[in-house]
Amino acid sequence: MSTGLENLNDIIVPEPITFWPPAEGWLVLLLIGVSFFIPWLYQTWRRYQANRYRREALREAEHINNLEDPKEKLILLLDLLKRTAITIYPREQVASLSGGAWLDFLTSASLRSRTAAQPDSHELPPEIIQQLNDVLYNPAASVSQDNLRKLSDQLFNRVKNWIKQHQRIEQTHV
């Protein structure tokens, strides 16, 4: 006895829908997206490259901070600060400064960041400058090791904040 099931045909499954080639609208959206993404990626890469000196200076500051001798820390932090300042300010303005003139430059308004969330977090107040002047340039001044440690810690924090927050000066070359 035949039930008729042997006369049935198999189900025909349609071809799967492919992702490529997409419809014209998706191609237009893809081109628009790429035209915005490539310039953004280029700007991000340039900003990353331009801030390489910051990353290197911060790494070096951390290395200096791990030293034991607080006077050596002070000297090396000021050296790092000067090398960083030479990177962002015209060399003629910074390179020849030394001693009191360098410390005066550190307190000048030109070293203050205009983008800092806490503007006082990286400025060197006159009392710190005076202490640095005594420690580094006045052999008759006697400063205790505790005061040297406090001064080096204060300088480290301010130097680190300044490196992170200062604005780069755009130098025009003639």
Side-chain angles (χ1 to χ4, degrees):
M1 175 165 95
S2 155
T3 60
L5 291 177
E6 37 300 316
N7 294 335
L8 290 178
N9 293 330
D10 286 335
I11 297 175
I12 300 175
V13 180
E15 295 273 331
I17 299 174
T18 62
F19 284 109
W20 202 260
E24 291 81 18
W26 287 113
L27 286 175
V28 170
L29 282 175
L30 179 67
L31 288 175
I32 290 172
V34 166
S35 69
F36 282 109
F37 179 71
I38 289 176
W40 173 82
L41 188 62
Y42 178 71
Q43 286 293 77
T44 302
W45 178 79
R46 287 201 45 188
R47 192 175 319 114
Y48 179 80
Q49 290 298 99
N51 285 320
R52 187 179 85 197
Y53 76 97
R54 286 183 204 262
R55 292 186 302 276
E56 289 174 0
L58 288 170
R59 264 193 307 271
E60 188 171 339
E62 290 294 337
H63 173 72
I64 291 170
N65 193 41
N66 292 331
L67 298 175
E68 291 297 322
D69 183 19
K71 189 170 183 177
E72 183 182 8
K73 277 187 197 181
L74 292 173
I75 293 168
L76 292 174
L77 283 171
L78 287 173
D79 179 58
L80 174 64
L81 189 59
K82 187 164 188 176
R83 284 185 284 131
T84 306
I86 287 173
T87 302
I88 61 166
Y89 290 102
R91 181 174 282 278
E92 302 80 32
Q93 182 181 357
V94 178
S96 62
L97 298 175
S98 64
W102 169 240
L103 293 177
D104 289 341
F105 178 77
L106 293 178
T107 59
S108 69
S110 64
L111 200 58
R112 296 180 183 157
S113 170
R114 291 174 286 283
T115 62
Q118 302 168 331
D120 294 331
S121 65
H122 60 280
E123 295 172 8
L124 293 175
E127 55 272 3
I128 289 182
I129 294 297
Q130 182 59 44
Q131 290 174 355
L132 284 171
N133 202 9
D134 288 343
V135 168
L136 300 175
Y137 304 116
N138 187 359
S142 64
V143 181
S144 71
Q145 284 296 104
D146 285 340
N147 285 344
L148 276 175
R149 277 192 197 87
K150 287 178 189 174
L151 183 60
S152 68
D153 289 342
Q154 287 176 335
L155 185 63
F156 168 73
N157 290 329
R158 291 172 189 273
V159 165
K160 190 171 91 170
N161 287 335
W162 181 77
I163 290 170
K164 287 179 183 177
Q165 298 172 351
H166 71 270
Q167 283 185 337
R168 188 176 177 105
I169 307 271
E170 295 302 321
Q171 300 179 19
T172 56
H173 298 287
V174 179

